[in-house]
Structures are given as structure tokens and as C-alpha cells.
């Protein structure tokens, strides 16, 4: 029987809650491995990236947070009195939310959303979560699935980054490698290294605003506005 891989995302968030050192490495399949801190999953609203702080002002409840992690948005919506539900596939991430007093979090996959029709007015996809499906078809399928879950006047606030908006030579070289393999330039394959353990490989698709717009146009959605700079932005999607 194959050994199951550890849920390192779970451990990082729970360790961050305990105040432990949570430096980990998101190692790309070309060996590029920048250090990261688990504290980023627990940041208060005032320390969020500019694009998130600006976009979140347009959110109206009920809010569905796809990939809620440690529950950053839950704190914000509790403060302003908006109804919020977060979903994640990491049991530990949800444990962290419960530890922080957040009760409306559910273990659920983006590919099996189980909610009644028309029950949300805002969908959040922060933390580059627009690209969680890992490929263009997966993103299109998700956008189509969301159509029935949210009201006609609802919005999606989706964060991503233009992979080419960088001066880092290693990133440009990676884009060329992707193209040679027949993959989109912004399709990142990585795993997490933390305290001597390694996670499964993860595919995350990073999209330029133009790519986000083209993907949305293949569904009922349309990109209406962009918050922030190309290297990290939030797109506002509305139904056509």
C-alpha cells in the first residue's frame, strides 16, 4: 500500500497558531524553492495585500470563501456583520478556523460544491485561488458550477498574478520550460517542504488579467475590474 503524503498545509497553519516557527519552502519542479511563513495565512485585514483590501470592500453576504485556509476573511466579515462560509480540503486548516472560533467552515472540494442554488452574493478566491483547479478546463468548469450557487447580481473576487510580471530570470526560464512541455507559462507545479517532510505535488495556474478575462468569457462571467498591479491582483467577475 502506498504511503499517504502528509497534509503539511495543515501542520503549518496549526503551528503558526501555536506561535511556532513555520518557515517552509514551496519547491517548484525546477528546484526553485523560496522560503515562506505560515503567518501569511493568519494575517489581519490591515496587513492584507492592497488588492485584497480594495476588492473586499465590494463583498456582500452571504459570502462563500473557496479555499479558506486559516480563515483570514472570517475575521473581517465577523467584524462587519456579514454572513460567511468557508470551505477547504485540508482538515487541519478547518481545525485552525475552529480553534479561532470560526464555526461556519466546511470540509469540501471545489469540484463537489454542495449548496442550494442562489444562496451566495459573493465568492472569494483569494491567495491565488483562482488557479487552484490547475488548468484552464478546471477553471472554466468551476466558473460554470458557481453560476447556479450565486444570485444574478453576485460577484466573484478572484486573485491571481500575471506570471510574466517579474524581473526574476528563474521565472522567465520556467515559463520557457513550460512552453516546451506544452503547458501554459503560468502553470506552476510545486510541493511543500516543512520540517523534513514533503507534500504531494500541486498544480497552480497563475493567470494574467487577459487570461482571466478569456476564461470568464467562455462562461456566463465577465471580468469587469482589476484591483492592484499585474504581479498580484484581484479580478472582479460579474454575470453577463
Amino acid at each position: 500500500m502506498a504511503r499517504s503524503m502528509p497534509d503539511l498545509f495543515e501542520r503549518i497553519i496549526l503551528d503558526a497558531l501555536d506561535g511556532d516557527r513555520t518557515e517552509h519552502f514551496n519547491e517548484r519542479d525546477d528546484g526553485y524553492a523560496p522560503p515562506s511563513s505560515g503567518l501569511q495565512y493568519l494575517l489581519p485585514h490591515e496587513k492584507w495585500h492592497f488588492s485584497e483590501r480594495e476588492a473586499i470592500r465590494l463583498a456582500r453576504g452571504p459570502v462563500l470563501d473557496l479555499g479558506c485556509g486559516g480563515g483570514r476573511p472570517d475575521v473581517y466579515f465577523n467584524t462587519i456583520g456579514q454572513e460567511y462560509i468557508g470551505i477547504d480540503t485540508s482538515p487541519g486548516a478547518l481545525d485552525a478556523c475552529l480553534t479561532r472560533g470560526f464555526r461556519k467552515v466546511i470540509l469540501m472540494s471545489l469540484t463537489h460544491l454542495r449548496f442550494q442554488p442562489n444562496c451566495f452574493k459573493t465568492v472569494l478566491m483569494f491567495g491565488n485561488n483562482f488557479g487552484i483547479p490547475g488548468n484552464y478546463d478546471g477553471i472554466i468548469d468551476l466558473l460554470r458550477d458557481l453560476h447556479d450557487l450565486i444570485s444574478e447580481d453576485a460577484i466573484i473576487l478572484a486573485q491571481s498574478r500575471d506570471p510574466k510580471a517579474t524581473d526574476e530570470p528563474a521565472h522567465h526560464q520556467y515559463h520557457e520550460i513550460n512552453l516546451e512541455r506544452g503547458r501554459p507559462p503560468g502553470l506552476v507545479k510545486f510541493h511543500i517542504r516543512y520540517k523534513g517532510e514533503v507534500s504531494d505535488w500541486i498544480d497552480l495556474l497563475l493567470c494574467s488579467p487577459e487570461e482571466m478575462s478569456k476564461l470568464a468569457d467562455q462562461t456566463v462571467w465577465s471580468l469587469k475590474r482589476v484591483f492592484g498591479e499585474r504581479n498580484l491582483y484581484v479580478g472582479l467577475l460579474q454575470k453577463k
Side-chain angles (χ1 to χ4, degrees), residues 3 6 40 46 53-54 63 74 80 91 95 112 115-116 120 125 132 139 156 175 182 184 199 203 211 236 240:
R3 177 178 178 269
Q40 64 182 308
E46 62 270 18
R53 296 199 313 271
E54 288 297 300
V63 176
D74 202 330
I80 65 174
D95 285 346
H112 294 89
F115 295 104
Q116 294 297 316
F120 298 105
M125 304 172 76
I132 281 181
I139 292 174
I156 298 175
H175 302 156
S199 74
D203 282 337
E211 287 176 292
L236 168 65
K240 297 174 184 175

Side-chain angles (χ1 to χ4, degrees), residues 45 73-82:
H45 170 258
D74 202 330
V75 179
Y76 172 80
F77 288 113
N78 274 331
T79 300
I80 65 174
Q82 295 271 28

